[in-house]
Amino acid sequence: MNKPYLTIVCTYKCNMNCPYCKYAGGVYGEGYGSTKKDLSSEEIMRIARIAYKKGINCFRLTGGEPLLREDLHNLIIDLQKLGSDVIIALNTNGINLKKHETFFGNLNNFELRVSVDSYFKSVGSPKNWTESIGTLVRNLSKKIPVRIDTVALKSNSEDIHSIIIYCKKNQIDLKILDLYPNSNYDLKYWFKEFYDVGELFNKLKNQGSVHKFKSDNRKGLPMKYIKLGKSKIIFKDSFKGTHFHEFCKTCPIYPCQEGVYNICLSNDGRLGISHCLFPPFNMQVANESEKFIKKAFDRLIQIFQESKHEKRLAEHLQKMNRVNKNMTDLYIIKLGGSAITEKEGNKFEAKKAVLKRIASEIKRALDEKEFKLIIVHGAGPFGHTNVVEYDINNGVYSDRQKEGLAKTIKDCNLLDSIVVEALKKAGLDAIPFDPNKIVEQDNKKIVKFKTDEIERATAKGKIPVLFGQMVPDESLNASVISGDTIIGFLAKKFGAKKVFLGTDVAGIYTADPKKDENAKRIPLIDKNNFEESITQTDEAGTVDVTGGMKGKLEKIQKMLQGTTALIFDANQKENFYKALTEKEVKGTEIRL
């Protein structure tokens, strides 16, 4: 059966700042969603050897910009030593190509792909053609297979014709790719620049012969190419459909533009389906056992082989239009359990005066500014204390655990009724959504989340209210879904503009500000200081089965890629009003 190739993101670093990478959320290129940390060559090779044993013999090196990796030559040599049938392709922007020219020119079973988006200086991309790149490409194409890759944009659509003329004249292949939104959370750039490459194909098809692009391990988008002389002009056209697995249908952003087309090893050791951050398709394999990594490859190869072709771009574009319409005005608020309940004393009491004030501030903000809103609140002791007392955090099996499950569900609904009542008294059209009725998990991971009614409610100007709760779990009978996990899922599903996390402290601190007077607030957390910040964050001092502030940070990193979050003190008067009306609030902003 067909086997995928393995994309290896060998570095997060890049010496360019292309807009379609910049909008991916911080780490450049195909490493988006990962941290700024590169695997060692030894660890890459350990994983690559397992891939080769599983029948994968094609490896594509990318980044970031792979030519910035100092031990790149040794990595390529080691990959080729895996076997005589190994084929390696490398994607580069070509800026540092000169110092690698001799090495690349002497390689066997090696393909070079140089990214150039504009023949003249274009506003759409900094990947401009230069005489130096042209000379290097011509020289290398006489020794090894070389291809030019161009992302089609509205702003470079005229430039592409000049690149086609160059490739035809110099007998070099060209692949024209349509724009893919690496981040589903800021779509303005995508809508501004998306160019239908099918239009370009129709303009050129009479200038040469048309062929289907064939590959033994081809998944993803079926492609055609036009033969112009000895050059192939290949078109990656999303309107031709792509491949999806049954699991894809449970993803909050299904149907996406790329679907399933290869396996990717990220620069920080995440193994998954390329361009996909959906948890069932991703496993952290760095420094794991060989047995674990083999199982990960088996699973991903199975997904690859079971995926089926579907034409879903029209539906995707409709969804993107809906998300784009909502993204500028959809906010998600988290009312932390520590802020709205007597969590420190583990008392089953809601802070009704605090809820009343917060509700009035939200109402004032809505009266002044139009936006859609989803509210999620923590359970505080109504949930956490029960989960610990009845030992139901890791499954529900015994009669006592079933008793605790029923009590926890009831108590969490009780707290939610208090929250919804406070919102309604302030004049807000709040509607409760019990996660126990609309969410299903498997081993604590979401497998089903019914969101249609939530979407309809926000479209009508109503405010859905969800909360941390016990939900059905296929493996554990029942498991906890935290408010933070719900927020992450909904932010991705609906393209939230911003998430506001109201807690009992004014952001993230270098130590617990309630215990250490020298604790300093961290005003901004991004990919540059995330690892340092998370090591400084203490575990919750109260009973919190979801991990306290450290748990929030870890969930934010995984679930809110591309969405800005603000953590602030919900107990401080006017904070919710100021945050929602974009006034300055003392807190920690998170951009990952």
Side-chain angles (χ1 to χ4, degrees):
M1 296 181 73
N2 290 349
K3 292 287 177 70
Y5 62 87
L6 178 63
T7 293
I8 300 174
V9 182
C10 55
T11 183
Y12 70 87
K13 300 172 185 175
C14 190
N15 45 12
M16 280 195 170
N17 192 25
C18 299
Y20 43 78
C21 288
K22 180 172 66 176
Y23 279 79
V27 175
Y28 294 102
E30 295 182 71
Y32 77 98
S34 60
T35 58
K36 291 189 174 182
K37 179 172 63 177
D38 290 338
L39 291 177
S40 66
S41 288
E42 290 78 15
E43 185 63 10
I44 291 175
M45 284 308 304
R46 189 174 75 91
I47 297 168
R49 288 188 191 97
I50 296 171
Y52 185 72
K53 290 177 182 177
K54 290 293 179 181
I56 296 174
N57 69 321
C58 296
F59 300 90
R60 182 170 69 91
L61 301 179
T62 185
E65 171 49 51
L67 299 193
L68 295 179
R69 188 173 177 110
E70 294 182 1
D71 59 355
L72 178 65
H73 292 187
N74 290 334
L75 178 59
I76 292 172
I77 291 169
D78 288 342
L79 285 169
Q80 290 193 325
K81 287 179 180 177
L82 290 174
S84 59
D85 61 337
V86 167
I87 298 172
I88 299 173
L90 184 140
N91 291 79
T92 175
N93 58 36
I95 290 179
N96 291 339
L97 189 55
K98 178 63 179 174
K99 68 178 184 179
H100 300 272
E101 180 183 9
T102 301
F103 175 75
F104 289 161
N106 290 321
L107 291 172
N108 296 316
N109 294 336
F110 180 79
E111 301 174 7
L112 185 66
R113 299 168 184 176
V114 182
S115 298
V116 178
D117 292 337
S118 52
Y119 198 79
F120 307 104
K121 282 201 171 182
S122 166
V123 297
S125 169
K127 290 180 181 174
N128 298 313
W129 189 266
T130 65
E131 283 301 319
S132 173
I133 288 177
T135 300
L136 288 166
V137 166
R138 276 196 304 272
N139 292 342
L140 281 167
S141 67
K142 297 172 184 176
K143 301 176 182 179
I144 58 173
V146 177
R147 188 180 80 198
I148 301 294
D149 285 353
T150 296
V151 176
L153 308 168
K154 287 178 182 175
S155 57
N156 74 349
S157 56
E158 295 304 317
D159 274 5
I160 291 176
H161 292 280
S162 298
I163 298 174
I164 291 171
I165 292 170
Y166 171 87
C167 289
K168 179 182 178 181
K169 178 180 178 181
N170 291 281
Q171 301 178 8
I172 294 169
D173 290 345
L174 169 66
K175 183 176 181 180
I176 302 173
L177 305 95
D178 52 9
L179 182 64
Y180 175 76
N182 283 341
S183 168
N184 217 36
Y185 323 110
D186 191 346
L187 302 174
K188 289 181 180 178
Y189 178 79
W190 189 89
F191 277 93
K192 175 186 175 183
E193 287 285 11
F194 180 79
Y195 180 75
D196 182 1
V197 301
E199 294 181 13
L200 186 60
F201 175 84
N202 290 331
K203 290 178 182 177
L204 293 172
K205 64 182 180 181
N206 294 327
Q207 297 183 24
S209 55
V210 177
H211 307 266
K212 287 185 178 180
F213 187 82
K214 295 181 179 180
S215 174
D216 290 339
N217 60 353
R218 171 57 53 195
K219 285 280 185 178
L221 281 69
M223 288 182 274
K224 290 183 178 181
Y225 68 88
I226 299 173
K227 194 75 178 293
L228 297 180
K230 293 186 177 181
S231 299
K232 295 178 183 177
I233 312 300
I234 306 162
F235 293 82
K236 173 186 167 289
D237 182 359
S238 295
F239 281 97
K240 301 302 181 185
T242 187
H243 285 73
F244 294 102
H245 191 272
E246 279 299 308
F247 268 125
C248 294
K249 295 175 182 178
T250 64
C251 177
I253 60 172
Y254 170 81
C256 67
Q257 194 170 326
E258 294 283 76
V260 174
Y261 73 96
N262 69 10
I263 295 176
C264 180
L265 176 65
S266 72
N267 56 282
D268 60 356
R270 188 183 71 249
L271 191 68
I273 300 296
S274 281
H275 288 289
C276 181
L277 296 177
F278 190 37
F281 290 174
N282 283 271
M283 289 152 275
Q284 181 60 237
V285 298
N287 303 314
E288 292 288 351
S289 68
E290 182 174 344
K291 181 179 179 181
F292 180 89
I293 299 172
K294 283 181 178 179
K295 285 185 176 180
F297 271 111
D298 286 340
R299 179 68 182 126
L300 293 171
I301 290 171
Q302 180 184 10
I303 288 170
F304 175 86
Q305 293 173 340
E306 291 177 351
S307 62
K308 297 178 181 179
H309 178 256
E310 299 178 35
K311 289 186 177 182
R312 304 297 295 269
L313 184 62
E315 180 182 343
H316 174 71
L317 291 175
Q318 289 176 0
K319 180 174 182 177
M320 297 279 274
N321 272 306
R322 185 178 70 244
V323 172
N324 186 54
K325 182 181 178 182
N326 289 341
M327 66 172 292
T328 57
D329 58 10
L330 174 63
Y331 295 146
I332 299 180
I333 285 176
K334 168 68 184 295
L335 304 177
S338 59
I340 64 171
T341 68
E342 298 293 346
K343 188 175 179 180
E344 277 199 24
N346 288 326
K347 298 177 183 178
F348 285 69
E349 294 179 18
K351 295 179 180 178
K352 293 185 178 181
V354 172
L355 283 169
K356 181 180 179 181
R357 175 184 54 77
I358 291 174
S360 67
E361 290 181 19
I362 295 172
K363 181 66 168 64
R364 282 173 55 209
L366 275 167
D367 287 343
E368 290 183 20
K369 177 183 174 184
E370 185 179 356
F371 57 87
K372 295 176 182 178
L373 185 64
I374 295 173
I375 295 176
V376 180
H377 64 82
F382 290 77
H384 299 288
T385 301
N386 284 333
V387 170
V388 173
E389 181 179 343
Y390 288 91
D391 190 24
I392 55 175
N393 193 34
N394 295 304
V396 176
Y397 307 102
S398 69
D399 289 342
R400 174 168 169 74
Q401 287 176 321
K402 291 174 183 177
E403 176 189 342
L405 172 64
K407 186 177 188 305
T408 304
I409 293 172
K410 180 180 178 181
D411 288 347
C412 288
N413 272 291
L414 173 62
L415 174 62
D416 184 60
S417 68
I418 296 171
V419 173
V420 171
E421 182 183 10
L423 295 169
K424 286 185 173 181
K425 283 184 176 179
L428 298 169
D429 196 355
I431 301 177
F433 284 87
D434 183 356
N436 182 262
K437 301 290 195 298
I438 59 175
V439 179
E440 293 178 21
Q441 299 196 133
D442 185 5
N443 201 22
K444 302 183 181 181
K445 292 183 179 179
I446 297 172
V447 294
K448 185 182 290 186
F449 200 136
K450 299 175 184 177
T451 59
D452 289 352
E453 290 300 321
I454 295 173
E455 185 174 9
R456 277 192 278 271
T458 57
K460 293 177 180 179
K462 300 181 185 297
I463 303 174
V465 181
L466 298 90
F467 50 96
Q469 176 66 295
M470 297 293 299
V471 299
D473 190 297
E474 186 175 335
S475 298
L476 304 174
N477 293 325
S479 60
V480 175
I481 183 167
S482 70
D484 299 312
T485 299
I486 291 171
I487 285 172
F489 187 95
L490 296 180
K492 183 180 289 187
K493 177 73 176 180
F494 298 129
K497 180 182 180 183
K498 197 165 186 177
V499 171
F500 300 97
L501 302 167
T503 69
D504 61 344
V505 288
I508 304 293
Y509 284 77
T510 55
D512 186 344
K514 297 177 182 178
K515 301 175 182 177
D516 187 347
E517 62 181 16
N518 295 317
K520 295 181 180 179
R521 181 174 56 89
I522 306 171
L524 173 66
I525 295 177
D526 57 19
K527 288 185 180 292
N528 294 317
N529 67 343
F530 178 82
E531 293 296 333
E532 178 185 358
S533 300
I534 203 168
T535 58
Q536 294 174 331
T537 305
D538 286 339
E539 297 285 2
T542 54
V543 178
D544 191 336
V545 295
T546 60
M549 192 63 77
K550 184 175 182 181
K552 291 188 197 313
L553 269 181
E554 290 171 337
K555 286 187 178 73
I556 286 170
Q557 183 198 29
K558 292 178 182 178
M559 301 295 287
L560 295 186
Q561 297 287 340
T563 301
T564 301
L566 178 66
I567 299 178
F568 60 93
D569 188 354
N571 294 313
Q572 185 69 37
K573 291 181 179 179
E574 296 293 290
N575 267 359
F576 271 101
Y577 167 74
K578 290 178 180 178
L580 291 168
T581 53
E582 300 184 80
K583 296 178 174 62
E584 185 176 352
V585 176
K586 180 181 176 182
T588 296
E589 188 160 274
I590 300 178
R591 304 175 194 153
L592 297 174

